[in-house]
Structure formats: C-alpha cells, structure tokens
Amino acid sequence: MEALHRYDEFADPEQKISKGIHYCNILLNKGLYDQCIKQIKKYKTLAYKYEKFENVIDLIEIEKRWITKTQFSSVTFKQLGVLSTELIFCADQLKTSNTYWLQSNTIYKLHYEKEIAKGKENKELYRLIGDEQFIDESKATTFKAKLDRLQIKALHAFVNGNVENAYELNSNFLQLIDKNIHLKSLFADRYFSALNNYLIDSLILQKFDALLKGIDVLRTLPGLPEFKHIQHLEANVFRLSYLLELNYFVSQELFKEALLCVEQVKKGLKKHGEKIPKPNIITLRYLSAYVMFCNGKFEDCISELLRLFKIKESEMIPDLYRDSRIMQLLCHFELGDYFLVESQIISLQRYLSAQKMKYQTYGAIIRFIKQYAQKIQKPKKTDLEIKLISFAQNENEKMVFNNINYLYWIRNISKTK
C-alpha cells in the first residue's frame, strides 16, 4: 500500500493536495508561520482548481489555527469575516454536490436494479426531472453537480426513447469535461461511460462522422495517463470500438472495408478474450462471420461460426444463435454441400419448431434450398427474391431480417441462377 501511495502521489492531484495539507500542518506545528501561510495559499489555489472544497475547508481550519498562533497580528476584522464567508461558501458547494449526488445515485441504483427502464412508469425519475434543480441549470454550481444533472437528464431521454436528446446531452457531458481538461483525471470513468453512450446514440441516429471520430477518440484513451487507472481499459476499448465499427460497416453494407476490421477482431480476441463478457464475444464472432459471409468467404464464415457454437452461452442469445445456424446452412448450400445441407435442414426445422418460430421467411428459404439441392428442375432465384421483398415489408416478418439481410444474400452473394 505504501508503494502504491508513493506511485500515485506524483500523478494524482488529490494526493498532491492531501500532501500539501500535511505540509501546512507540519510548518504550523514547527512555528514556521510565514512559510505556513504561503503553503496554505498555494494549496488552496490547487484545491479550488480541482473543486476539492473539502480540502479548502481543511486548509481554512489550519489557517484559523495560524491566526491564533500569530496572536491575530496578521489579520484584520474584515479578513476574519472573509475567511468565515469562504468556509460557508465551500460548505454550500459541498452541500450542492452532495444533493445532486444523492438524487442521481438513487436513480442509478434503481436503474441498475432494473426498476427504471424503457416501458416502465419510472415515477421516481420523472419526479426528479421535474425538480427545480434539474430544470434550472444555474442550480448546479459545482462541476460534479453539472455532471450529475446531465447524466440523469440523458438517462431520462434514454428511457423515453428520445435518442436525439440523449445524444445531445451526452455530447454536452463530454464537451464539459474536455473544456476542463485538468478535471479529466478525476472523472475519467464517467467520461468513458458517457463516450460509450454517445457512440451508441451516434450509430442509432446514423451520425456516422461523429461515430467514426468518436471511435478514434475512444481508441486513444489507453495511451492517456488520465485513464490508466480504469480496470481492463484496453480490453474494453477493443470490445466497444469494434462492436461499433462492425455494426457501422454492416449497416452500410461496406463488407469489403469490414474485412480489415475482422482481422483486428481475431487478434483482439486472442489478446483480450478472457477479459470480455461472453455475450460480447458472441456478438463479435457473429458480426465477423457475417462479414465473411457477405464477402463470399463461406469456408471462413463456417470456421468462425463453429468457434461461436463452442461458446456454451451462445444459446442464451437466441436470435444470434438461430441466425448463426441459418447462416451456416446458407454457407454449406453456397458451397454445394447438399448432403450436409439436408441434415442441417432437418435439425434447423426441429429447432425452429421447438422455439415456435413460425416465420414465412424461414419456410420460403428452406423450401428453396431443399428444392434446389434435390431437384433437377431448379427453382428460380427471382421467385424467392420476390417473396423476400414482400416479407421484408411485412410488419410481422421484417424482424427476421435484423441480423441477416436475406435480400442482400439472394441478390449479391448467392451463386444460384
């Protein structure tokens, strides 16, 4: 612990202030009054810079003792009043920060306990948002309070489904910290979290310039000293950045450009795999397989899907697991592995039946593949395409196209005539 303390005290501004307070006490106790007051002023300035009002109060208490020790010879009556006012000001700022902290953390505790979410009443959140402190921006007089106010308003926008508003609030949060760069190290964890939310909002809103610039910023964080204390930072930056980037490429059908991304994902999973939650690994492997599929690299796609199936938790994400099996079927079909295709169709139909997945899209694709593999008179690709166009526009069927764009497959990938 002593070694860790020694390591931190040179880089952590809070440690520097604490050390300075100790210096001031030593100087006062040794009767070095001139040096003591100089150090008090120096470390007060530093404490105000970082809004460490509790440290300013500690220094004021030393200053009070300094006044007594010097027998009141160095202060006027007016200066006594100013010192008292300064202490009250600091106490008020702490009270403000604490009020916002209690309010915001009460809401976040409810959020983490799934008491606040989309589709719920969220009474406590709505009540808080209606509070004057969250309506009137000027009430948040400290940096901490400003951050708490913005984050709760962003959460409110999120649960209301107002992505545009959430995007603006998360952007304001990041800008506030970026404008106060000296405070970044104190709020690095919150910056990282808000940046993640901002990037997700950018992807949903298709603000792709903001997304790509934000991903670049995200990838610089492991090299910045302010963020080094965040646990597994490099692994989390890898996970978040490539999930976002792959989703961007897939959404824009930039499959050739995405191949380089896939190579980086392979390397990253080897390096960081043990530090990444299994659902994220499954999603990264699925997206990688889909990019290979859409580039016509069917054997590589199958290999990646087999790695996905080896993860026992893969069945816990039913939509990706189901679509992975369908993608595997499509790959073997495109490779002409018709004997294997037949057994996979039987297995897949049993699975879909057990899951009560009675979508017409699946039925049409399976019939097409079955007839194409078994009959001399091959069914026409254009006939299947017409059906898929209809299904993609059907309210009850279009969700089937979320993870695999079957129209893209039949038009651009399939080798059938």
Side-chain angles (χ1 to χ4, degrees), residues 185-378:
S185 61
L186 301 181
F187 301 100
D189 297 78
R190 296 177 72 172
Y191 185 92
F192 180 66
S193 176
L195 179 57
N196 179 36
N197 293 337
Y198 167 80
L199 292 173
I200 293 170
D201 295 338
S202 300
L203 180 64
I204 294 170
L205 295 169
Q206 298 189 358
K207 294 180 183 288
F208 296 129
D209 285 344
L211 173 68
L212 296 175
K213 287 177 184 176
I215 289 173
D216 287 341
V217 170
L218 180 64
R219 286 175 178 160
T220 66
L221 300 189
L224 300 177
E226 300 97 320
F227 295 87
K228 286 192 178 296
H229 70 278
I230 298 178
Q231 193 175 27
H232 305 318
L233 177 63
E234 191 179 352
N236 282 319
V237 167
F238 159 75
R239 170 179 64 88
L240 293 170
S241 64
Y242 283 102
L243 281 171
L244 289 161
E245 196 166 27
L246 279 173
N247 271 295
Y248 159 68
F249 282 130
V250 168
S251 70
Q252 298 304 293
E253 297 183 353
L254 300 171
F255 297 114
K256 287 184 180 178
E257 293 85 343
L259 280 174
L260 181 59
C261 227
V262 168
E263 289 305 310
Q264 295 303 316
V265 168
K266 285 181 183 177
K267 293 176 184 176
L269 286 175
K270 283 183 180 179
K271 184 177 181 181
H272 304 295
E274 292 182 0
K275 299 173 184 174
I276 298 174
K278 286 294 193 296
N280 293 135
I281 293 177
I282 292 163
T283 305
L284 282 167
R285 290 212 177 278
Y286 179 86
L287 289 168
S288 297
Y290 187 57
V291 168
M292 294 171 188
F293 174 74
C294 290
N295 278 286
K297 296 180 177 294
F298 303 120
E299 291 180 355
D300 291 338
C301 177
I302 291 168
S303 297
E304 190 64 22
L305 289 172
L306 290 175
R307 294 187 189 98
L308 186 155
F309 293 140
K310 284 181 181 178
I311 304 171
K312 63 180 181 180
E313 291 87 351
S314 62
E315 291 189 54
M316 302 301 290
I317 309 178
D319 58 330
L320 288 187
Y321 182 74
R322 177 186 67 243
D323 292 335
S324 294
R325 293 187 62 170
I326 293 171
M327 200 191 311
Q328 184 186 39
L329 171 65
L330 294 177
C331 284
H332 284 295
F333 171 66
E334 294 298 338
L335 289 168
D337 301 331
Y338 294 149
F339 288 111
L340 191 54
V341 162
E342 287 184 29
S343 63
Q344 284 191 334
I345 285 175
I346 294 169
S347 174
L348 180 61
Q349 285 177 323
R350 285 175 182 166
Y351 176 79
L352 293 173
S353 178
Q355 297 295 314
K356 299 181 180 179
M357 292 286 171
K358 298 180 180 179
Y359 291 104
Q360 296 180 70
T361 304
Y362 296 145
I365 291 169
I366 289 171
R367 279 194 299 275
F368 174 81
I369 290 173
K370 205 171 184 179
Q371 290 172 5
Y372 201 96
Q374 293 177 347
K375 294 186 178 181
I376 296 174
Q377 187 68 34
K378 307 296 184 187

Side-chain angles (χ1 to χ4, degrees), residues 153-172:
K153 287 177 75 68
L155 177 61
H156 177 252
F158 167 75
V159 299
N160 271 1
N162 190 339
V163 182
E164 187 73 50
N165 193 21
Y167 169 85
E168 291 297 331
L169 288 161
N170 283 314
S171 176
N172 291 342

